[in-house]
Amino acid sequence: MGWHRANNMEYSRRSAELIFWYHKLEKGLCLPLENRRFFGRYPAQQTLALLKKWEQDGLSKQTTVYKAAVGVLEAYRDFVATEDTTKPQVAETLAELEAFLGGHEQSEDIYRTPIQFKHLPEDTYDILYSLSLSRRSTRNFRDQRVSMDIVEKAAKLAQLSPSACNRQPWRLHIYDDKTHIEQMLKLQNGNRGFGHTIPMLAVVCCDMGAFFDSTERNEPPLDGGLFLMSFLLALQSLGLATCCLNWCVDPRVDQQGHQVGNIPQNEKILTFLAIGYAADDTVVPLSARRPLSDLIVAH
């Protein structure tokens, strides 16, 4: 862990740090109006410095991360302009923002923030509950190729999952070569009896470089779990069946998983995931749930 400010930081760490700072401004802009006062000078300065470094190093200004950062600065500039500009801090902040944004075209509508909260139809819960009931770990797959187009569609939905400071540290490694899948599954001890039927294997990882130090040690599995659940439901909604295959291995085997899967060392493997179409004669566990009294502790 740690995005320590090296001169030669790779895109993944640099983008994580940029998102971390500009999202502070974005969150502040969503506070109740009566609780909002002048805020954000330091996060704004950090965002500006990172964007200028981004440009100096020749990184693309067409990436979503860069464009979103500019969109947030525009919204923050508009907020600062409503404050008392006779105060030195306010005036200086506004000048710094104007100096930077003056060299950029106005952002496209898709990067405008904040946006209105969306109220959903009354039957939304019933639809989600039905989808959740239908999702069960499947251990019998049809011999049918899974299209990457479907996986990408599911991943696009899963990307909407929440993550710490919106850094989106998730990485998906997809394998559909039978030999490669077999090599990977030899390292995992929960696929006996059905692993040979899996047409596609996903390895869900988390980029540890997206986190600044060990105080965030709980975030990688938390962020990964949020993404995984959304991904499972999205795949289910698109007609695919899945089975999570826990990655409970010692460090030596974990290293083998990185090597066999060609997974970078900075990416923590969280779980394997079998993906495919359920065979016609498939049955799945009932997986009865505990009573809510086991779950909820009301204070």
Side-chain angles (χ1 to χ4, degrees):
M1 302 181 88
W3 60 38
H4 306 293
R5 293 154 180 76
N7 291 328
N8 210 6
M9 288 166 61
E10 66 271 22
Y11 166 79
S12 62
R13 294 191 180 205
R14 193 179 295 207
S15 59
E17 186 177 11
L18 178 56
I19 293 171
F20 174 85
W21 286 112
Y22 80 62
H23 193 55
K24 283 182 176 289
L25 299 172
E26 193 169 22
K27 290 185 288 187
L29 292 169
C30 296
L31 292 174
L33 288 174
E34 63 271 19
N35 296 339
R36 199 185 302 168
R37 57 185 185 275
F38 179 67
F39 74 96
R41 177 164 168 75
Y42 185 68
Q45 289 176 326
Q46 293 294 106
T47 301
L48 286 167
L50 288 166
L51 286 175
K52 291 172 183 175
K53 184 75 166 60
W54 189 288
E55 294 177 359
Q56 290 167 5
D57 291 346
L59 295 178
S60 173
K61 293 193 282 187
Q62 300 306 310
T63 62
T64 299
V65 173
Y66 183 94
K67 288 184 174 183
V70 174
V72 170
L73 287 181
E74 288 175 342
Y76 179 65
R77 183 263 323 271
D78 294 343
F79 158 73
V80 175
T82 66
E83 295 294 292
D84 183 358
T85 54
T86 63
K87 295 180 178 179
Q89 270 206 333
V90 176
E92 290 168 13
T93 303
L94 185 60
E96 290 166 357
L97 291 165
E98 293 285 13
F100 178 82
L101 293 172
H104 294 75
E105 294 183 2
Q106 188 174 23
S107 293
E108 305 163 54
D109 286 344
I110 58 171
Y111 296 110
R112 299 285 168 78
T113 187
I115 60 175
Q116 286 294 317
F117 177 83
K118 294 182 179 179
H119 295 275
L120 298 173
E122 290 185 1
D123 64 345
T124 300
Y125 174 84
D126 295 332
I127 294 170
L128 180 58
Y129 190 77
S130 177
L131 176 61
S132 300
L133 274 178
S134 71
R135 191 220 59 80
R136 289 291 185 274
S137 294
T138 302
R139 296 172 175 85
N140 185 14
F141 294 97
R142 192 187 308 164
D143 184 15
Q144 180 179 344
R145 181 180 174 276
V146 176
S147 168
M148 272 298 296
D149 289 343
I150 298 179
V151 173
E152 289 176 358
K153 189 173 182 178
K156 185 175 182 179
L157 185 149
Q159 270 192 305
L160 299 175
S161 303
S163 60
C165 298
N166 193 39
R167 279 169 281 179
Q168 307 161 58
W170 318 294
R171 298 292 182 273
L172 270 179
H173 293 264
I174 305 293
Y175 309 86
D176 63 1
D177 176 78
K178 278 288 187 181
T179 301
H180 206 164
I181 291 174
E182 182 181 342
Q183 292 172 340
M184 294 290 284
L185 291 179
K186 283 180 180 178
L187 303 173
Q188 199 277 336
N189 61 5
N191 65 87
R192 187 175 301 171
F194 75 97
H196 63 284
T197 73
I198 297 174
M200 176 177 279
L201 181 71
V203 177
V204 181
C205 300
C206 191
D207 180 3
M208 300 299 281
F211 303 95
F212 47 77
D213 62 30
S214 61
T215 60
E216 294 196 286
R217 62 191 176 278
N218 294 324
E219 292 302 335
L222 176 60
D223 287 359
L226 290 165
F227 174 87
L228 176 62
M229 191 70 248
S230 299
F231 190 48
L232 293 174
L233 292 176
L235 290 168
Q236 183 78 14
S237 72
L238 293 167
L240 287 166
T242 57
C243 184
C244 294
L245 303 170
N246 292 337
W247 188 241
C248 302
V249 298
D250 63 38
R252 178 184 57 83
V253 178
D254 185 78
Q255 282 298 310
Q256 289 180 299
H258 280 84
Q259 292 165 6
V260 174
N262 296 317
I263 297 171
Q265 289 298 314
N266 61 295
E267 295 181 17
K268 180 179 178 64
I269 298 176
L270 299 176
T271 191
F272 283 16
L273 178 66
I275 302 173
Y277 294 95
D280 294 338
D281 58 347
T282 295
V283 293
V284 294
L286 171 65
S287 299
R289 291 318 193 235
R290 293 173 176 267
L292 285 179
S293 58
D294 285 5
L295 170 65
I296 298 174
V297 181
H299 296 272

